[in-house]
Amino acid sequence: MPSIFFKILLLILIIFQLTSCNSIKYVQENEKMIKENQILINEEKSKDSELDKYVVQKPNRTTLGVPLPLHLYNFGNTDFEMTFEEWAANHEKKYKRYERIFSKKQTFVIYRNKRGINNWLLTKGEAPVIYDASKAVRSSNTLKDYYISIGYFEAEVEHDLDSVGEKQVRVNYRINPKEQYYIDSVSTDIESVSLDSIYKSHREESFLKQGNPFVFEDFEREEARLVNLFRNNGVYEFRNNSMGFWTDSIKGQYKKKVELKIPDRVVKENDSLVKKPYKIQNVNRINVYTDFSIANRGRPIQDSAVYKGYRFYSFDKMKFRPKYLTNSLFITPNGIYKDAEKTQTQNYIRNLKTFSSNIDISYTEHEGDSLTADIYLTPLKKYALTVDLDATTSNIKPFGILGKFSFLGRNMFKGSEILELSFQGSIFNVSNPPTQSESFFNAWELLSGVSLRFPRILFPINTSKLIPKYMAPTTTFDASVGFQKNVGLDRQNTTAGMAYTWKSSKRVGHRLDLINLQYIKNQNIDNYFNIYDSEYQKLNDVTEDLFGETLPNNNDDILDFIDFFLDPANGYEDSNPEEYDTVSDVEERREILIEDSFVPVISYSFVYNTRENINDNDFSYFTARFISAGTFSNLIYTDKNELDQSVLFDVPVAQYFKTEIEYKKYWELRSENILVFRTFAGVAIPYGNSDNVPFSRSYSAGGSNEMRAWRTFDLGPGAELNNLEYNVGTFKLVMNLEYRFRLTNKFYSALFVDAGNIWDITDSNLVTEEGKFKSFADLKNSAIGSGLGIRYDFGFLVFRFDVGFKTYEPYLPSSNKWFVNYNFGNAVYNIGINYPF
């Protein structure tokens, strides 16, 4: 085991020793701190962590068995002086010593800093949890209530204490559940014929079945099911309080009979209360107020329209086209009332981002069992401007400042279209240290983009049967242009695209990029050998070995040497074949990396996500993407170059197939303790027009979001050992396992293991055999990194600091590849915003 493990273990033992005796620092003589809660069922310790949530008082939070928040609190001083004068009086000697060394103003600053640190320790830490007998009684009652709720009506719960150290106790909750009750039979007494008919046709869906345990939650679920069932089958007046469950115990059998009773509704007529049966009601009229506001209330209608049974009204001139606004409405004219249609309409309109999220839909009853639906929409401001300023960091750009200006236009063509213009600029410090003549910020980037989103599918033929409106389809056009200075080869990147998105269900989403065009132009190819210094060093080794001279490090001289050495007339291929191959490989790689490219892409993405909401930490996520570049190149781009490649403005058109899949699984082990597994696999295969996948579309490994023990581009391919500054491949496989847990109020931590690499699958002559993937046996060349991280939750974002240690390095020449560089000196320190996955 490497020495770093001993150091970390020793550090933990020292900290634990120093802090363990300090756990009860703020526990008074007549108090007991709760060290542990123990739940015993029939005198056996429970393994059900769900029971913990019924205990009111919980011990101080622990991390790997150590109550770090408690120790953090104990480092503070609860009696710290509130004013400077009190502190000076209580620490007279220290105060006078500070005054001799510093000024009174500086002494005040020292006091203020001490007070600030002390307050931080107390607020971020956690005070000892003192045993409260009344809360223990409440916990016992809550546990008993829980057991009653799952059918143990005769359950008994008691509690007692065990001393487990000085001023520390374990609270034992002893549960004797006794016998569980079951459902003997389920009967109904439903007075309204329409309700009875609907119930019987869906009876098999009931949560209450003969022989099931008598569980209160099942009754609540059945109640919700029936309300949802009836209100989505036209029964507008049905409510939760419209029904009741009656139960009767069978003596000596631990069983209960259940009867569902739904009486007719009671209504007021002529000052009298009368019973009327529930009936199925139709929505015969739908009114849509397109510009409703409090200020408009009471004003006369100025404009109106009728389209497909919907009536649209406006207090000013109508700013929305009814034809397109109808796509957002799911309440069916002359159809039966359905709760789901109301909810679906509200959700769809919110997603338009054209109206206020407060969408009021109300219903009015009329004679003849008919309803009128009134939909009140409040438009958002047509135009909006936003300005953002951020700090950025990455391996290649250690520090930068980014500014973004965005313009948003809503309802541009009266169909809830969204236009967005953005202008983004950043200045930063690149990895190479600036010279004396350069400022700290020695590079910049500019990006300008435009997008136009339509809340419908734009296609020559009608797609509503294939992708109906409930799937929330959108069509987006976008374009952007970006420029760089002093960043690599100063790439100019121009893109344009058209994409469709839709959701076939709550969990399944789709995206089809019908066309995505990217034009990449390298504007500073003369900088190649400054960026790829390792390539220059290879050429310099050749000149020193063969000619005893140092190769001048400027682009013209280097290219002249390459042309000279590779010229067949000079005969170096025969006389010095090894050196010739080296120079030839350098030139071939340079030609690939400096080549401008045009990449026309068609792609399809599939997403399956089981996450219910932002607080759901127990879910799965799967995505697959299929990409084809240059599919119709030979038909569209008829011009050819001397290599018989299809070109556009003399730029070769890239052709390749690419497939990517990603799977993520989240397990919430207990509150704020989450285990995350992620795997990513991608493969890119050039064909036809291309011998290589463009650099920008190839795979790299390393960085703050995956293989965190290596910097971006540093790892791979495979077990190849090279000094290239930017390593890329055509096959990538990465797996991550991360355990996230809370330390204090805002501080979180994580332990992680990353495994994977990139490989070449195109049999390129620029990659050695160690870097190629030819069979599953080559997976032995996967790298492994491990480490830990600290995260601080600001609420609106999470600041992340991860340290990755190289655990297994497949490229090392020695037979021992485990833990060779597992130390802080060779670790990679990653800074990121939000979680890596």
Side-chain angles (χ1 to χ4, degrees):
M1 183 181 290
S3 61
I4 187 172
F5 281 138
F6 290 111
K7 294 177 182 178
I8 294 175
L9 182 60
L10 181 61
L11 180 62
I12 292 174
L13 290 174
I14 293 173
I15 293 174
F16 181 75
Q17 184 66 29
L18 290 174
T19 57
S20 59
C21 60
N22 200 36
S23 298
I24 58 173
K25 177 179 179 180
Y26 290 116
V27 180
Q28 304 301 317
E29 287 300 321
N30 60 339
E31 294 178 334
K32 300 290 184 182
M33 184 181 79
I34 298 179
K35 180 73 172 180
E36 177 190 359
N37 284 328
Q38 182 173 250
I39 298 177
L40 303 167
I41 303 175
N42 292 327
E43 297 304 315
E44 290 189 7
K45 189 172 182 179
S46 171
K47 297 180 181 179
D48 185 2
S49 59
E50 281 294 304
L51 293 178
D52 293 340
K53 67 183 181 183
Y54 298 104
V55 178
V56 178
Q57 273 196 303
K58 296 177 175 59
N60 293 95
R61 291 194 306 271
T62 61
T63 301
L64 301 178
V66 179
L68 294 179
L70 173 62
H71 294 318
L72 193 65
Y73 181 89
N74 286 341
F75 278 126
N77 181 3
T78 57
D79 296 323
F80 195 88
E81 294 81 0
M82 295 301 295
T83 67
F84 177 62
E85 290 73 18
E86 291 176 350
W87 178 79
N90 292 340
H91 304 273
E92 187 175 357
K93 291 183 179 180
K94 184 182 293 187
Y95 172 69
K96 289 181 178 179
R97 185 170 73 252
Y98 283 168
E99 272 203 319
R100 287 196 305 269
I101 303 173
F102 311 106
S103 66
K104 185 173 182 179
K105 184 177 181 180
Q106 291 173 321
T107 303
F108 173 75
V109 172
I110 293 172
Y111 156 77
R112 188 178 60 190
N113 291 340
K114 285 177 174 287
R115 186 183 65 184
I117 294 172
N118 186 73
N119 290 342
W120 185 88
L121 291 170
L122 295 178
T123 55
K124 300 303 180 186
E126 191 176 77
V129 178
I130 306 302
Y131 171 74
D132 185 327
S134 63
K135 291 181 178 179
V137 171
R138 198 193 320 167
S139 297
S140 295
N141 292 335
T142 304
L143 285 166
K144 181 178 180 178
D145 290 341
Y146 166 71
Y147 268 83
I148 290 174
S149 75
I150 58 174
Y152 294 94
F153 296 110
E154 300 169 8
E156 296 177 352
V157 181
E158 299 176 343
H159 66 273
D160 55 56
L161 302 179
D162 289 335
S163 178
V164 291
E166 183 182 1
K167 299 182 181 179
Q168 298 178 79
V169 295
R170 175 174 60 235
V171 186
N172 301 307
Y173 294 95
R174 304 181 186 276
I175 302 172
N176 180 7
K178 298 187 178 180
E179 292 293 332
Q180 187 176 26
Y181 280 70
Y182 290 82
I183 295 175
D184 176 72
S185 60
V186 180
S187 60
T188 62
D189 180 10
I190 303 175
E191 295 181 0
S192 297
V193 175
S194 58
L195 291 188
D196 190 52
S197 176
I198 295 171
Y199 176 85
K200 287 178 179 178
S201 62
H202 294 83
R203 190 168 197 157
E204 293 303 315
E205 302 166 8
S206 175
F207 292 102
L208 304 178
K209 297 183 183 299
Q210 183 180 4
N212 283 2
F214 195 100
V215 177
F216 288 4
E217 185 179 359
D218 287 344
F219 284 81
E220 294 171 357
R221 293 165 68 192
E222 178 67 2
E223 182 182 83
R225 184 188 76 88
L226 292 176
V227 171
N228 181 67
L229 175 65
F230 293 138
R231 288 183 62 84
N232 280 292
N233 280 276
V235 189
Y236 171 71
E237 286 294 339
F238 197 84
R239 302 288 188 272
N240 290 65
N241 59 3
S242 300
M243 60 181 153
F245 293 99
W246 296 72
T247 65
D248 187 20
S249 298
I250 300 177
K251 188 175 181 180
Q253 295 189 30
Y254 300 105
K255 291 181 180 181
K256 283 180 176 287
K257 295 179 180 179
V258 177
E259 183 179 26
L260 167 66
K261 290 188 176 184
I262 306 179
D264 286 341
R265 65 189 182 115
V266 178
V267 297
K268 189 174 183 179
E269 282 189 0
N270 301 322
D271 296 328
S272 300
L273 296 177
V274 297
K275 294 182 69 175
K276 285 191 172 184
Y278 289 95
K279 292 185 177 181
I280 296 174
Q281 296 175 278
N282 293 317
V283 183
N284 290 346
R285 185 182 178 108
I286 302 172
N287 303 320
V288 183
Y289 299 89
T290 62
D291 58 351
F292 176 79
S293 67
I294 295 176
N296 286 337
R297 183 175 292 172
R299 285 182 56 196
I301 297 298
Q302 298 294 324
D303 200 357
S304 63
V306 178
Y307 184 79
K308 290 188 175 180
Y310 297 94
R311 300 171 185 269
F312 297 88
Y313 300 98
S314 177
F315 297 97
D316 293 301
K317 184 174 176 58
M318 187 90 60
K319 296 178 181 178
F320 295 87
R321 296 175 66 181
K323 175 182 177 181
Y324 295 126
L325 198 53
T326 300
N327 290 335
S328 309
L329 307 177
F330 293 88
I331 302 172
T332 307
N334 298 313
I336 64 171
Y337 171 83
K338 293 182 180 180
D339 254 0
E341 291 183 343
K342 174 183 175 181
T343 303
Q344 201 169 9
T345 298
Q346 291 173 321
N347 291 338
Y348 193 102
I349 294 175
R350 288 190 186 100
N351 288 333
L352 294 177
K353 299 181 180 179
T354 305
F355 299 95
S356 167
S357 60
N358 184 22
I359 300 160
D360 181 27
I361 301 179
S362 60
Y363 291 85
T364 304
E365 290 187 83
H366 304 288
E367 291 184 6
D369 302 323
S370 67
L371 297 170
T372 293
D374 293 306
I375 304 172
Y376 299 93
L377 307 178
T378 303
L380 298 171
K381 289 184 179 179
K382 188 175 182 67
Y383 302 112
L385 296 174
T386 58
V387 179
D388 294 318
L389 186 66
D390 291 311
T392 62
T393 181
S394 69
N395 298 141
I396 301 171
K397 308 165 190 175
F399 179 75
I401 298 175
L402 181 148
K404 184 177 181 181
F405 169 83
S406 298
F407 166 84
L408 188 70
R410 300 183 177 94
N411 195 38
M412 299 304 295
F413 307 113
K414 297 187 177 182
S416 298
E417 302 83 5
I418 300 291
L419 173 68
E420 185 172 7
L421 301 173
S422 63
F423 304 91
Q424 179 177 303
S426 57
I427 55 174
F428 43 83
N429 165 252
V430 292
S431 299
N432 297 326
T435 63
Q436 291 183 351
S437 61
E438 290 181 326
S439 62
F440 175 77
F441 294 108
N442 53 7
W444 54 261
E445 282 183 334
L446 292 176
L447 177 66
S448 177
V450 58
S451 70
L452 180 60
R453 191 196 73 177
F454 294 82
R456 51 192 173 274
I457 296 292
L458 299 183
F459 200 70
I461 61 175
N462 190 345
T463 61
S464 59
K465 291 186 178 180
L466 182 64
I467 307 175
K469 66 180 184 179
Y470 74 82
M471 294 185 181
T474 67
T475 303
T476 303
F477 298 90
D478 61 76
S480 67
V481 58
F483 301 91
Q484 297 176 329
K485 185 65 176 178
N486 287 347
V487 184
L489 301 178
D490 292 351
R491 187 174 68 184
Q492 176 185 331
N493 192 8
T494 305
T495 66
M498 175 184 178
Y500 301 117
T501 63
W502 68 96
K503 295 195 69 173
S504 54
S505 70
K506 182 180 178 181
R507 294 181 171 182
V508 178
H510 309 264
R511 178 185 174 99
L512 174 64
D513 283 85
L514 192 62
I515 187 66
N516 184 289
L517 306 176
Q518 182 183 37
Y519 171 63
I520 303 167
K521 180 176 179 58
N522 295 304
Q523 301 186 98
N524 190 12
I525 60 176
D526 291 345
N527 197 38
Y528 178 83
F529 287 103
N530 292 326
I531 301 301
Y532 296 90
D533 182 66
S534 60
E535 298 289 84
Y536 162 76
Q537 294 299 334
K538 293 176 184 177
L539 298 177
N540 188 56
D541 290 342
V542 172
T543 60
E544 289 183 345
D545 290 345
L546 296 185
F547 309 114
E549 296 179 358
T550 298
L551 179 64
N553 192 359
N554 67 76
N555 191 67
D556 291 338
D557 288 333
I558 295 173
L559 295 182
D560 287 343
F561 167 74
I562 293 175
D563 290 340
F564 165 77
F565 202 83
L566 298 181
D567 189 342
N570 294 319
Y572 288 109
E573 184 174 8
D574 296 325
S575 61
N576 302 90
E578 186 175 340
E579 289 81 1
Y580 184 90
D581 287 343
T582 298
V583 176
S584 178
D585 287 350
V586 168
E587 174 59 7
E588 185 175 348
R589 186 178 288 108
R590 187 186 75 88
E591 289 289 344
I592 293 172
L593 294 178
I594 69 171
E595 182 181 48
D596 298 337
S597 59
F598 177 66
V599 188
V601 163
I602 298 174
S603 68
Y604 167 74
S605 300
F606 171 88
V607 175
Y608 177 78
N609 188 359
T610 65
R611 192 173 196 181
E612 295 293 331
N613 52 62
I614 194 172
N615 297 316
D616 184 4
N617 292 316
D618 204 316
F619 65 96
S620 299
Y621 174 93
F622 172 80
T623 183
R625 191 178 183 211
F626 307 95
I627 304 161
S628 176
T631 307
F632 306 107
S633 294
N634 294 332
L635 298 177
I636 300 174
Y637 313 106
T638 57
D639 293 341
K640 303 283 185 177
N641 62 11
E642 64 277 6
L643 300 176
D644 199 34
Q645 293 176 309
S646 298
V647 295
L648 178 67
F649 305 121
D650 295 327
V651 177
V653 178
Q655 284 188 303
Y656 61 86
F657 291 118
K658 198 174 188 181
T659 300
E660 299 173 344
I661 59 172
E662 182 181 23
Y663 174 74
K664 294 184 285 188
K665 174 62 179 175
Y666 295 72
W667 293 274
E668 188 167 27
L669 305 180
R670 60 179 187 271
S671 178
E672 297 181 295
N673 283 253
I674 301 169
L675 183 66
V676 185
F677 170 76
R678 170 188 178 262
T679 185
F680 173 89
V683 59
I685 303 174
Y687 73 97
N689 221 41
S690 302
D691 295 324
N692 303 280
V693 178
F695 177 82
S696 62
R697 301 298 179 102
S698 299
Y699 294 111
S700 63
S704 61
N705 292 328
E706 45 169 53
M707 300 296 294
R708 285 163 280 188
W710 289 265
R711 297 187 182 279
T712 308
F713 294 108
D714 278 0
L715 179 61
E720 181 174 299
L721 184 61
N722 62 55
N723 296 317
L724 290 178
E725 287 76 10
Y726 298 93
N727 293 290
V728 294
T730 49
F731 173 59
K732 181 175 183 177
L733 180 63
V734 172
M735 288 181 284
N736 311 91
L737 186 66
E738 181 169 286
Y739 174 56
R740 301 168 183 169
F741 52 93
R742 186 176 180 179
L743 293 177
T744 66
N745 291 339
K746 295 289 185 178
F747 278 100
Y748 294 78
S749 186
L751 303 174
F752 59 83
V753 177
D754 304 324
N757 210 329
I758 56 172
W759 290 266
D760 172 68
I761 60 171
T762 63
D763 203 26
S764 170
N765 63 293
L766 299 179
V767 180
T768 64
E769 290 301 309
E770 290 78 9
K772 296 178 180 180
F773 190 94
K774 293 187 174 181
S775 69
F776 286 109
D778 292 314
L779 290 176
K780 68 178 184 297
N781 293 328
S782 298
I784 300 176
S786 57
L788 66 158
I790 296 291
R791 289 84 190 268
Y792 186 83
D793 188 354
F794 285 96
F796 58 94
L797 61 82
V798 176
F799 175 81
R800 175 165 53 90
F801 178 73
D802 291 338
V803 183
F805 298 98
K806 296 176 177 63
T807 308
Y808 179 81
E809 301 172 80
Y811 47 78
L812 292 180
S814 64
S815 58
N816 180 24
K817 304 176 188 296
W818 287 94
F819 301 109
V820 175
N821 293 302
Y822 200 97
N823 52 60
F824 286 102
N826 289 290
V828 172
Y829 301 89
N830 302 280
I831 294 176
I833 302 299
N834 295 327
Y835 291 102
F837 41 81

